[in-house]
């Protein structure tokens, strides 16, 4: 991953190079050959899909818990990620006990 420097900073893809921004920094990288369709259908990505589904379920549950337990003035990304982590650990425990 390369950092964009200079006065002109861009986002998008040009000639197989992806330009993007994360926060206030701009980066460039080679376009991936991996497509979304391949991740959705290829058996090689079965574990990726399984973990993605688990993360989606944990995020939905964590969102409900987060909104009900964390006061609005204390909400931040870090606290939300903590709640997601706690939910993920509990789901992993449950999955382990079911087997």
């Amino acid at each position: 991953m390369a950092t964009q420097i200079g006065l002109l900073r861009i986002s998008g893809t040009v000639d197989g190079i992806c330009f993007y921004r994360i926060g206030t920094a701009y980066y460039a990288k080679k376009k991936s050959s991996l497509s979304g369709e391949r991740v959705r259908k290829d058996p090689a990505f079965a574990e990726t899909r399984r973990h993605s589904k688990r993360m989606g379920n944990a995020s939905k549950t964590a969102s409900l818990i987060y909104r009900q337990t964390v006061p609005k003035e204390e909400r931040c990304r870090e606290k939300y990620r903590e709640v997601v982590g706690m939910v993920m650990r509990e789901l992993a425990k449950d999955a382990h006990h079911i087997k």
Side-chain angles (χ1 to χ4, degrees), residues 32-95:
S32 173
S33 62
L34 185 60
S35 69
E37 181 177 354
R38 181 172 174 217
V39 173
R40 286 189 297 276
K41 295 181 179 181
D42 191 329
F45 290 95
E47 283 295 301
T48 300
R49 291 189 299 272
R50 189 173 70 83
H51 290 295
S52 178
K53 185 174 182 179
R54 183 182 294 162
M55 180 61 132
N57 290 335
S59 293
K60 289 176 189 174
T61 303
S63 178
L64 294 172
I65 294 168
Y66 180 77
R67 283 187 268 132
Q68 291 177 359
T69 60
V70 179
K72 284 186 180 183
E73 61 276 358
E74 294 179 22
R75 292 180 186 176
C76 63
R77 179 176 295 175
E78 291 77 21
K79 286 191 184 210
Y80 176 73
R81 291 178 70 183
E82 284 179 35
V83 176
V84 173
M86 288 188 283
V87 173
M88 288 287 290
R89 284 188 291 279
E90 289 302 316
L91 288 175
K93 284 182 195 175
D94 289 346

Side-chain angles (χ1 to χ4, degrees), residues 1-6 8-14 16-31:
M1 174 171 34
T3 303
Q4 294 183 46
I5 59 173
L8 181 64
R9 308 253 171 92
I10 61 173
S11 294
T13 303
V14 178
I17 306 294
C18 296
F19 299 91
Y20 58 100
R21 184 180 100 182
I22 299 177
T24 59
Y26 287 80
Y27 301 96
K29 68 179 181 179
K30 182 180 173 187
K31 185 176 177 181

